[in-house]
Structures are given as C-alpha cells and as structure tokens.
Amino acid sequence: MITNLFYFLSFVAVLSALMVVFSRNPVYSVLYLIITFFAIAGHYVLMQAEFLAVVHVIVYAGAIMVLFLYVIMLLNLNRESEPHKSNILKFAAAICSGLLLVVLVGSLRGTELLKHSEAGEVSSTMGGVKNLGKVLFTDFLFPFEIASVLLLAAMVGVVMLAKAEKKTNL
C-alpha cells in the first residue's frame, strides 16, 4: 500500500515538474509547481516527517508561490515584447544544463541507497519536532545563526532600498 502511494506521488511530482517546464503560460507553471510541492510534502508524510511536510506546505506552497504569482502578475508578460533568443544562446543553455546533469550524476555516484531491511529500521520519531530541534540547536547551531544574521541583513537592506529619500528645503 505504501509503495503504491510512493509511486503515485512520485509520478505526480515528476509529471507536474515536467509540466512546469513545458507549460507556455507562466501562471499555469506556478500552479503545476504547487502540485509538485504538495507531492513532495506527501513524500515527507510517507517518511514519517509530518513537521517537515507541514512546514514545506506553509513555506513553499504558501508563501513562495504567492510571491511567484505576484511577480508574474506585476511583470505583465507579453509575447510581442519578448526578445527573440538566438540559436547560440539556446545552444549555450543546452550545454550548461548538460554539464549540470553530469555534475549531479557524478555527485550521486558514490552514494548508497537504503536497502529494504534498513528502511524498516527507521525510528518513528525521526522527523519529529523534538528531534529536529535537538539536531538544529546542537549540531547545526552555527549555520542556523549565520542564516538568521543573513536574513536580518537582507531585511535591513530591503528596508533601506525601499525607503524614499526625503528632500528638505532649508
């Protein structure tokens, strides 16, 4: 039963990810991306990481996709005003994507997949909030704090960029 659900979620995730790439309408691409995010959240639930599934749905399918839709609506993408891409640029993009594929395959080449006996030995509290918090604030405390400082610096930068200059008449 679980393997059938895994295969179904995987099929939905791959199909909707392909539809993101091949869809002509950017709004439809964003909607297909939301379906992909929900399928990935389903994988988290299958791995008994319910907290990560909920956070994934809230952050990605909620906040990030709303921002994507907002940007797409602001850009007002018209096909008439889109510049034509040259064949050299398309060829360079194909070469770069092929090189990225080679790098990804090379990085995953040395990894081992879980065997069926090891997959059954996974703890039921593996994706729980308590264990996640313990790992986050013990093993990964320094990267967590660095990320928070970077987010704070980005927020201050956005406020400074958005702040209008006041002209004073003396």
Side-chain angles (χ1 to χ4, degrees):
M1 174 67 180
I2 292 178
T3 58
N4 292 337
L5 186 58
F6 171 78
Y7 288 131
F8 174 73
L9 287 174
S10 299
F11 174 75
V12 168
V14 170
L15 181 68
S16 60
L18 287 173
M19 291 302 292
V20 167
V21 175
F22 293 122
S23 179
R24 298 255 181 211
N25 190 343
V27 176
Y28 290 156
S29 292
V30 169
L31 293 175
Y32 287 127
L33 193 57
I34 291 172
I35 293 171
T36 305
F37 286 152
F38 275 110
I40 292 171
H43 281 102
Y44 285 141
V45 170
L46 287 179
M47 291 188 297
Q48 297 175 350
E50 293 85 9
F51 177 73
L52 288 178
V54 171
V55 168
H56 182 79
V57 167
I58 290 170
V59 171
Y60 287 106
I64 301 295
M65 288 300 105
V66 168
L67 289 175
F68 278 7
L69 281 174
Y70 184 68
V71 167
I72 287 172
M73 288 186 296
L74 277 179
L75 288 178
N76 193 13
L77 300 174
N78 293 327
R79 294 185 191 271
E80 295 83 28
S81 64
E82 183 179 334
H84 179 68
K85 306 285 191 288
S86 67
N87 288 334
I88 295 173
L89 189 63
K90 290 179 184 178
F91 182 71
I95 294 294
C96 289
S97 62
L99 289 174
L100 178 65
L101 178 68
V102 168
V103 168
L104 288 175
V105 168
S107 66
L108 294 175
R109 188 170 174 217
T111 61
E112 290 185 29
L113 297 176
L114 286 175
K115 296 182 177 80
H116 291 291
S117 62
E118 294 175 2
E121 297 172 4
V122 175
S123 168
S124 65
T125 62
M126 183 176 174
V129 179
K130 183 177 181 181
N131 289 336
L132 183 66
K134 186 185 291 184
V135 169
L136 186 64
F137 289 113
T138 56
D139 298 337
F140 296 103
L141 181 64
F142 185 67
F144 179 74
E145 291 299 325
I146 292 297
S148 66
V149 169
L150 284 174
L151 287 173
L152 177 66
M155 186 172 56
V156 169
V158 165
V159 168
M160 293 303 292
L161 287 174
K163 183 179 174 182
E165 291 184 24
K166 293 183 180 180
K167 295 186 179 186
T168 59
N169 294 330
L170 294 175

